[in-house]
Amino acid sequence: MAEALIETEGLTRRFGALAAVNGVSLAFEKGRVHAVIGPNGAGKSTFLNLLSGELRATSGRVLLGGEDVTRASPDRLSRLGVGRAYQTANLFPDLSCGDCVWLAAQSRLPSSMLFFRPADRYPQVGVRAARALEACGLSQRRSAIAGQLSYGEQRQLEIAMVLATEPSLLLLDEPLAGLGHDEALRIVALMREVAKGRTVILVEHDMDAVFSISDSVTVLVDGRVLVTGAPEEIRRSAAVRDAYLGGEVV
Amino acid sequence: MRRQVLLLAAAVALAAVAFSGDRFWLQFLGKAMIGCILAIGLDLLVGFTGMVSLAHSAFFGLAAYALALLTNRLGLVSPLVTLPLCIAFAAAAALVIGWLSLRATGVYFIMVTLAFTQMLFFLFNDSPALGGSDGLYVQARPVNSRLAAYVVIWVALIAVYLLLSRVLRAPYGRVLEGIRGNEQRMRSLGYPTRRYKLVAFVIAGATAGVAGYLDATLYGFVNPAQLGWRQSGLILVTVLLGGKGTLYGPAFGALLLAFIEHYGEQVTEHWNALIAALVIAVVLFLPRGLAGLLHGNPRG
Amino acid sequence: MSLSLFLVQLVNGVEYGLLLFLVASGLTLVFGVLGVLNFAHGSFYMLGAYLAWWLSARTGSLLLGVLIGVPAMVLIGLVVERLAIARLYSRDHLSQVLLTYGLVLLFNELQSVLWGNDVHGVNTPAALSWTMRLGETQTWPAWRAFTSFACICIAIAMRQVVLKTRFGMRVRAGASNAEMVEALGIDVRRLFSTLFAAGTALAGLAGMLAAPLTTVYPGMGENVLILSFVVVVIGGIGSIKGAFFGALLVGLADTFGKVLLPGFASAMVYAVMAAILLWRPRGLLGAAAEGR
């Protein structure tokens, strides 16, 4: 069994009386694609927010490479190699694609407290940005304004931005939501590429995609882990089918 | 290209005034250029980083008072000594006030900067030792002739503009843009955004300090009214009027406001209503300011 | 400090705080529900005071002045909301600050044109011009007691309205999620107008009550406005309870500050605010920061 890059111990987040995530203990193996699925309201997004530092846990721990990062801020986690792509477009709407990815790439400089040399004289940043754009098929759209891209292209840009930060752990939050069939195929292919050499935690509703690229699947229901296993086991599980009352067909 | 030409023309025109030696114009445009420096510094904060601060006048006033006190109490006059000291003082104040204010976000931040500005106003207004509501005379000015002061101000304006332009083109400037566009995303990309905002606040405070120093030099007089939120509000007006987020726009906004204030006073005693109407009209109908008119499709 | 002096300042501080509460409550609601930062709020306080003076001078009765003045303030609030504030609902902070700043300048000129720049005294109604004895040496003017009493009644009434009525429920819903309220089909325009008018009237009423105490003078709204902002910051945006306790705190800090540290009295309040923000960046009772 490969070592866990990130694991949670009894991770819990309450909102008032409601425990959106309740005592979740999971270990995510390095270099694998892990899907987290579950019916609506299962706590998947909350779980992801806890991992990316945007929500603080009520109790429990998050360990990254053995280090306790439960209280780490989002920016610290990013610098530790955690990259988060968002479900709804979370870009810089007035900047061009190139500039969006540039900012993402620039974050890998030891510090951006640099005041005198123009930004484009930092070639290492440009190279990283160009590579990310290329990997996501957006090289031609470099000067297009992010806010004016098509929905599918915005998804590509989301992923490009995360890639430009050279993460070791990728948190993907419903990257296929709202996409048409062709666009979804394109993003799935992209995800498969991007997953090579990285650890991915994927929250998704699109079951075809989940089963085609995941190495392991965890099912969350009402904030708790129902079962974790290989895609085939999950697909055949009666318990999982029951959990999806009238939801996705597994 | 249009922009470069416009800026060059303005710089040359302002320089030409120095040769005329006309007392009124030297004083008037000297003051107007100080307003430009204030506007440019505030644009860095408001237009480029998205931080609406009402504390800008506080740093202006602090530097002005610092000069008055340095010359009156310590006998320090040389600009080589007093200028760096006053800027450092304004920057230090900005560091403290900025650090405290940035504990708050969004609208709380604006209100906190307002409260600190008022605090400083009262501190100076209520202290007889600091001149009270009458203010202080600067007994010995670092620069003695009106003409020399004008030239110094002109040089300072160009220098501040070029310096800030440079900073905005550097990686730091990109970060500010990102913060303005989507601060939360910047954090998730790994930037500790509060630090960058604090630096922006200090840079703006330092430029306000330069303006305050020059103002005290030009007029030889400092008073608490320069520190209040009304003053900060007017500087914000010039930023919006000229076009926020362009750096040069607010400078023109400041020039325009200076002319309107001056001629407005001559036309009616209720010229404040004129300014009010202008402000309201700009907010409602010309939110991108003059620079917006120039560009046709400006950044918003 | 002697005990009687302490008690007097305590009473003064509470009185001041209660008046501030009237002003701040409108400000915090307008900001919490309508999402608008309104710098002109202090102008409503001033307008209320001027109206009270002008009407009481004309009619000989401050009470009549208040009875006419409050509806007048409601009307003014409705007009300002429709013409100016409504345009700010989806605009950024800078626009809100500047537009309302423009309104402040406008109202100041209006006041100057209509009523001139002199300071005016306002007489308390004869019925309330006596003083009560408190202990051996201290007295308490009846008008001030009445004012405090009125503020407390209004605070209680507000609490009842907010907690127990449907209107109050919409206000609370709007304070936590204005978009949702609209999506639920509630007439948000009417809610906003009403709320703004109420806030205006409250500020105006505070001005009317304060007029005999502070006299009526140009720029009187300014200091109250800033202090109201301090109250809102301390108490948390959108929280009436926060505004209440914040106002008391500010009133007491200001009053005791003037007595203990005369040179730094005005600065004292802001020092308290800074201290509170260091401890609780969202205000004492503001929404707790989610995660970060």
Side-chain angles (χ1 to χ4, degrees):
Chain A
M1 161 128 147
E3 58 171 298
L5 176 61
I6 187 169
E7 49 190 314
T8 69
E9 289 174 3
L11 196 59
T12 303
R13 168 71 201 203
R14 289 183 203 286
F15 293 100
L18 173 72
V21 171
N22 203 341
V24 170
S25 300
L26 290 169
F28 297 92
E29 284 176 26
K30 207 167 179 174
R32 301 272 208 269
V33 177
H34 305 266
V36 175
I37 65 175
N40 284 322
K44 309 187 293 296
S45 281
T46 309
F47 181 66
L48 226 55
N49 282 333
L50 287 168
L51 291 182
S52 67
E54 272 149 296
L55 270 186
R56 190 170 280 181
T58 315
S59 63
R61 301 205 297 165
V62 178
L63 299 163
L64 182 65
E67 188 186 335
D68 188 333
V69 294
T70 321
R71 305 190 86 71
S73 62
D75 58 275
R76 173 143 184 267
L77 282 168
S78 171
R79 288 195 301 278
L80 288 173
V82 177
R84 167 86 190 258
Y86 292 82
Q87 179 181 1
T88 46
N90 201 5
L91 314 162
F92 302 105
D94 299 324
L95 298 184
S96 69
C97 280
D99 286 340
C100 286
V101 180
W102 178 282
L103 270 175
Q106 191 183 294
S107 70
R108 298 303 113 173
L109 286 175
S111 167
S112 282
M113 291 287 190
L114 302 161
F115 302 94
F116 295 110
R117 231 195 314 164
D120 45 32
R121 301 253 209 93
Y122 289 87
Q124 67 273 51
V125 177
V127 164
R128 210 177 296 139
R131 230 187 289 143
L133 273 180
E134 171 92 40
C136 295
L138 284 174
S139 299
Q140 304 303 321
R141 300 288 272 152
R142 179 176 278 131
S143 22
I145 302 292
Q148 292 167 5
L149 291 178
S150 75
Y151 193 65
E153 285 175 323
Q154 285 187 343
R155 285 319 176 75
Q156 287 168 270
L157 184 56
E158 257 301 312
I159 297 180
M161 282 169 66
V162 174
L163 276 188
T165 64
E166 300 188 335
S168 43
L169 172 63
L170 258 181
L171 302 174
L172 299 177
D173 194 353
E174 299 196 38
L176 302 174
L179 290 180
H181 184 70
D182 291 336
E183 287 174 314
L185 283 179
R186 212 176 301 138
I187 300 285
V188 170
L190 177 56
M191 285 199 292
R192 207 175 271 123
E193 264 308 301
V194 149
K196 293 181 187 164
R198 290 192 183 91
T199 312
V200 177
I201 300 179
L202 168 70
V203 166
E204 242 315 322
H205 279 295
D206 182 334
M207 291 302 143
D208 290 335
V210 166
F211 289 120
S212 81
I213 66 173
S214 315
D215 299 311
S216 107
V217 179
T218 298
V219 182
L220 280 186
V221 178
D222 289 334
R224 288 184 208 274
V225 176
L226 180 65
V227 63
T228 297
E232 275 315 301
E233 293 171 39
I234 302 299
R235 188 183 240 139
R236 281 180 270 135
S237 160
V240 172
R241 210 173 305 135
D242 291 341
Y244 276 87
L245 310 145
E248 335 301 321
V249 173
V250 174
Chain B
M1 196 54 222
R2 239 187 304 177
R3 175 171 60 98
Q4 327 280 49
V5 172
L6 190 61
L7 287 176
L8 202 60
V12 168
L14 285 169
V17 174
F19 292 100
S20 80
D22 182 308
R23 288 188 60 177
F24 165 73
W25 284 108
L26 285 180
Q27 190 87 359
F28 174 70
L29 286 177
K31 174 74 175 178
M33 286 197 289
I34 288 173
C36 295
I37 296 177
L38 279 170
I40 291 175
L42 190 57
D43 195 25
L44 178 84
L45 219 46
V46 172
F48 286 90
T49 319
M51 294 164 71
V52 178
S53 161
L54 284 167
H56 209 55
S57 65
F59 307 118
F60 171 82
L62 278 174
Y65 266 91
L67 177 62
L69 292 171
L70 283 175
T71 60
N72 297 359
R73 306 284 164 87
L74 297 179
L76 296 170
V77 181
S78 159
L80 292 174
V81 173
T82 51
L83 181 59
L85 279 178
C86 291
I87 296 180
F89 182 58
L95 187 64
V96 173
I97 292 179
W99 188 82
L100 285 170
S101 303
L102 282 168
R103 301 268 309 169
T105 53
V107 113
Y108 288 100
F109 170 78
I110 303 176
M111 300 205 271
V112 170
T113 59
L114 170 64
F116 277 119
T117 303
Q118 288 307 98
M119 173 173 81
L120 286 169
F121 167 78
F122 282 116
L123 224 56
F124 283 99
N125 194 54
D126 296 345
S127 302
L130 295 171
S133 59
D134 292 328
L136 290 174
Y137 279 100
V138 179
Q139 277 154 18
R141 301 189 226 179
V143 174
N144 264 311
S145 79
R146 192 172 289 121
L147 178 62
Y150 184 89
V151 171
V152 171
I153 295 172
W154 185 87
V155 170
L157 174 57
I158 310 261
V160 166
Y161 178 76
L162 289 177
L163 198 65
L164 290 189
S165 299
R166 185 109 204 180
V167 167
L168 286 169
R169 275 201 302 273
Y172 176 76
R174 297 285 189 115
V175 175
L176 293 187
E177 263 190 337
I179 291 175
R180 184 193 65 202
N182 189 338
E183 183 176 355
Q184 177 263 332
R185 194 66 168 105
M186 287 298 280
R187 273 203 305 273
S188 88
L189 286 174
Y191 294 99
T193 54
R194 198 188 284 185
R195 227 175 279 173
Y196 290 89
K197 288 163 82 170
L198 182 57
V199 169
F201 198 82
V202 170
I203 294 177
T207 60
V210 170
Y213 179 90
L214 293 171
D215 193 81
T217 300
L218 185 65
Y219 284 100
F221 178 65
V222 305
N223 75 322
Q226 298 171 309
L227 285 156
W229 72 284
R230 300 285 195 96
Q231 276 305 106
S232 283
L234 281 176
I235 308 172
L236 276 177
V237 169
T238 65
V239 170
L240 191 72
L241 181 60
K244 66 172 178 169
T246 60
L247 209 63
Y248 69 94
F252 284 100
L255 283 175
L256 183 58
L257 190 70
F259 277 99
I260 293 177
E261 274 182 324
H262 179 73
Y263 290 105
E265 269 176 336
Q266 300 182 341
V267 166
T268 163
E269 64 172 295
H270 295 296
W271 57 277
N272 260 318
L274 210 71
I275 307 267
L278 177 71
V279 173
I280 294 174
V282 171
V283 173
L284 292 179
F285 306 119
L286 199 67
R288 286 171 183 159
L290 297 173
L293 289 178
L294 183 69
H295 286 184
N297 182 31
R299 62 203 292 160
Chain C
M1 181 189 280
S2 68
L3 183 63
S4 67
L5 184 63
F6 176 81
L7 285 174
V8 165
Q9 297 310 325
L10 193 67
V11 169
N12 284 343
V14 169
E15 275 175 14
Y16 190 29
L18 287 171
L19 270 178
L20 266 183
F21 165 70
L22 281 195
V23 181
S25 59
L27 191 65
T28 199
L29 278 180
V30 164
F31 193 43
V33 180
L34 281 62
V36 174
L37 186 57
N38 179 19
F39 274 83
H41 203 62
S43 302
F44 297 141
Y45 172 88
M46 175 195 74
L47 281 176
Y50 268 90
L51 272 179
W53 161 69
W54 188 68
L55 288 167
S56 70
R58 293 269 166 299
T59 64
S61 160
L62 178 59
L63 189 59
L64 203 57
V66 172
L67 285 175
I68 301 176
V70 171
M73 291 306 303
V74 171
L75 204 62
I76 291 174
L78 286 173
V79 168
V80 170
E81 194 270 337
R82 272 301 100 198
L83 290 183
I85 306 295
R87 298 176 200 262
L88 293 176
Y89 290 147
S90 48
R91 302 278 307 259
D92 59 309
H93 292 322
L94 180 65
S95 302
Q96 293 182 0
V97 168
L98 285 180
L99 185 71
T100 55
Y101 175 81
L103 286 178
V104 171
L105 293 179
L106 207 61
F107 284 133
N108 283 346
E109 281 311 299
L110 203 69
Q111 163 257 307
S112 177
V113 165
L114 286 178
W115 295 303
N117 288 328
D118 298 324
V119 176
H120 301 286
V122 176
N123 295 321
T124 57
L128 290 164
S129 293
W130 44 282
T131 56
M132 296 188 265
R133 302 207 124 263
L134 291 177
E136 295 108 32
T137 50
Q138 308 299 346
T139 60
W140 198 18
W143 176 253
R144 294 172 72 159
F146 169 71
T147 297
S148 300
F149 179 67
C151 290
I152 293 179
C153 288
I154 292 173
I156 295 177
M158 251 197 253
R159 185 171 189 278
Q160 293 305 101
V161 166
V162 167
L163 290 180
K164 303 267 166 56
T165 67
R166 293 179 64 178
F167 172 73
M169 188 173 64
R170 287 185 212 126
V171 167
R172 273 181 292 139
S176 61
N177 192 337
E179 277 170 28
M180 185 60 84
V181 167
E182 192 160 14
L184 289 173
I186 290 167
D187 188 348
V188 167
R189 291 189 72 194
R190 187 125 56 97
L191 178 66
F192 284 9
S193 299
T194 312
L195 212 48
F196 191 83
T200 304
L202 283 170
L205 178 62
M208 291 176 209
L209 291 173
L213 304 172
T214 65
T215 71
V216 174
Y217 57 95
M220 67 187 288
E222 185 169 311
N223 206 30
V224 167
L225 173 75
I226 314 280
L227 285 180
S228 301
F229 276 129
V230 176
V231 169
V232 169
V233 168
I234 292 177
I237 290 172
S239 165
I240 296 186
K241 190 158 56 151
F244 187 77
F245 290 108
L248 286 178
L249 188 63
V250 170
L252 288 166
D254 193 61
T255 306
F256 277 99
K258 285 193 165 70
V259 170
L260 295 173
L261 301 162
F264 299 105
S266 311
M268 171 94 147
V269 172
Y270 305 109
V272 170
M273 181 196 74
I276 290 183
L277 272 183
L278 281 175
W279 176 42
R280 293 273 191 119
R282 289 288 184 119
L284 287 176
L285 286 154
E290 279 282 287
R292 311 289 148 188

